[in-house]
Amino acid sequence: MKIKWGVIGCGGIADRRTIPGLLLADNAELVAVMDINGEIAEKIKEKYNAKYAFDNYEDLLCVKEIDAVYIASPVFCHKAQAIAAAKAKKHILLEKPMGLTVAESKEIAACCRCEGVKLGVGLMMRFHSYHKAMKKLIAEGKLGNVVSMRGQLTCWYPDIPNNWRQNKSLSGGGALMDMGIHCIDLLQYITGLKAVAVTGFTETQTFHYNADDSAAIVMKMENGALAMVDANFNIPDAAAKCKLEIYGTKGSIIAEGTIGQVEGGDVSVLISDDSLGYNAAQNRGDNHPVKLQVEFGNMYTKEVESFGYAILNDKEPEVTAEDAIFVQNIVERVYSENEGNSSAIL
């Protein structure tokens, strides 16, 4: 059986990644697309052979054969569209962040629970083959006790007139909300550790929009480990390394280029000989990392298939609203701290 999908907000990431991924999913069928720009909706309909194109979400939600909607509209539209979809009894895969604020995201989640529909969130980087393999290694204890970690995601995002992502009142935040949120989620997902406290800094140091173009945070994890995340809109794409680093008492995992929209990158794993004692000379040349081997796929296809199976089998989505709200709460605490309302304990 296939889940029949409607897409609300069919430009941007939906056109570039999610719809092509959806078309490859073995349990999904694209039925309808919607964009406030009717010409874009018609072009996407023709491009992907959908049945219907709309310039408003209300008409799309009236299509009875649609089982689920993917919402990829600007963040300031999420609340109204998600609540309307829930009341129309459509299951919802909602792009991150869920809402402009944690309170708004909780309202969306509560409505979905009340209406009995599934709600998943588009933290699709969990589905990267490398990230799943890294999670497995840590769960098996290969790194020992995790003591330190770092995630980095950056890009070049200069001033663009009337760009909603560069307006905090329309996006919920800048580099930290849009990009750092993936790193925060991945570090928790891969290690299986939740943050219990956070502090950090956000700045707009290069461009002129009212959202942050630079952010750096430190989280204290539930086992005492420290986790660092840096997110920037002001580092050239060619200079960005987008690294994940996880260090434990038995070794390390260093990933480069795995944080992105396409599966790829490179992961090195170093497991130490734990029979070794203290080395006063701190000789770091004895052990050599090995390359982690995986089979790449399409993160968006796996995301859509996973959510479809949750619907068909009446299971919790693999990425829940609670997961996304927890991460958004971390981001919101940092923003609040930088506005002078210090409150670091989660």
Side-chain angles (χ1 to χ4, degrees):
M1 180 178 175
K2 292 192 174 185
I3 300 299
K4 296 185 177 182
W5 285 84
V7 175
I8 297 174
C10 62
I13 193 67
D15 178 28
R16 188 167 62 250
R17 302 295 181 196
T18 312
I19 295 176
L22 184 153
L23 295 177
L24 296 173
D26 61 14
N27 61 0
E29 176 185 340
L30 180 64
V31 172
V33 296
M34 171 267 157
D35 195 274
I36 194 170
N37 184 325
E39 290 185 5
I40 290 177
E42 285 293 339
K43 287 179 181 178
I44 298 298
K45 171 194 167 187
E46 296 302 319
K47 181 177 180 180
Y48 297 113
N49 197 31
K51 289 183 181 180
Y52 311 105
F54 301 102
D55 62 4
N56 66 90
Y57 65 88
E58 293 92 345
D59 285 348
L60 182 145
L61 294 174
C62 288
V63 179
K64 291 184 179 180
E65 64 184 293
I66 292 176
D67 302 305
V69 293
Y70 166 63
I71 299 177
S73 55
V75 180
F76 67 89
C77 299
H78 284 187
K79 177 182 171 181
Q81 293 172 347
I83 288 176
K87 291 182 177 179
K89 303 299 183 183
K90 311 299 186 187
H91 302 289
I92 302 164
L93 178 59
L94 181 61
E95 268 302 337
K96 58 77 193 168
M98 289 173 57
L100 290 171
T101 63
V102 168
E104 198 170 279
S105 297
K106 288 181 176 179
E107 190 175 345
I108 293 168
C111 180
C112 289
R113 285 194 298 271
C114 181
E115 298 295 337
V117 300
K118 305 289 184 188
L119 174 59
V121 185
L123 293 165
M124 85 294 174
M125 293 187 197
R126 289 190 182 195
F127 295 93
H128 194 303
S129 298
Y130 267 143
H131 297 156
K132 285 190 172 291
M134 292 162 68
K135 179 178 179 65
K136 183 173 183 291
L137 282 175
I138 291 171
E140 291 172 346
K142 299 295 177 60
L143 257 62
N145 295 320
V146 173
V147 296
S148 179
M149 61 189 101
R150 180 190 177 209
Q152 174 194 58
L153 182 54
T154 68
C155 75
W156 184 256
Y157 201 38
D159 292 283
I160 301 171
N162 302 315
N163 185 293
W164 64 266
R165 276 195 177 86
Q166 297 175 353
N167 184 336
K168 187 176 180 180
S169 67
L170 302 179
S171 64
L176 183 59
M177 183 68 84
D178 190 59
M179 305 182 76
I181 203 168
H182 279 297
C183 297
I184 296 167
D185 182 65
L186 282 176
L187 290 175
Q188 293 187 120
Y189 170 73
I190 291 170
T191 64
L193 298 170
K194 290 286 190 182
V196 295
V198 63
T199 190
F201 297 94
T202 61
E203 293 288 344
T204 309
Q205 61 173 329
T206 302
F207 303 120
H208 302 95
Y209 38 81
N210 71 358
D212 48 297
D213 64 15
S214 313
I217 73 170
V218 179
M219 300 179 290
K220 181 180 179 181
M221 311 306 280
E222 58 190 327
N223 74 333
L226 296 180
M228 291 144 278
V229 169
D230 47 292
N232 292 74
F233 278 163
N234 54 1
I235 294 176
D237 294 312
K241 297 302 181 182
C242 298
K243 285 188 175 183
L244 275 174
E245 305 175 13
I246 302 174
Y247 300 92
T249 53
K250 292 184 178 180
S252 65
I253 300 175
I254 310 297
E256 185 171 313
T258 65
I259 307 178
Q261 296 178 4
V262 178
E263 286 202 27
D266 184 78
V267 177
S268 296
V269 180
L270 192 150
I271 306 299
S272 72
D273 179 354
D274 56 12
S275 67
L276 296 173
Y278 172 63
N279 180 359
Q282 297 183 2
N283 188 334
R284 294 177 171 87
D286 293 338
N287 291 346
H288 300 281
V290 297
K291 298 295 184 182
L292 192 59
Q293 301 297 318
V294 298
E295 183 176 340
F296 292 137
N298 184 309
M299 287 181 284
Y300 297 89
T301 298
K302 290 184 278 189
E303 176 185 47
V304 169
E305 285 181 342
S306 174
F307 189 66
Y309 291 135
I311 296 170
L312 293 170
N313 298 309
D314 193 21
K315 302 290 186 182
E316 275 287 291
E318 196 163 343
V319 185
T320 67
E322 289 72 25
D323 294 333
I325 290 169
F326 191 91
V327 174
Q328 188 173 359
N329 186 43
I330 292 171
V331 172
E332 197 166 283
R333 293 299 181 96
V334 174
Y335 284 146
S336 180
E337 182 180 10
N338 277 257
E339 291 166 0
N341 305 313
S342 182
S343 179
I345 304 300
L346 297 173

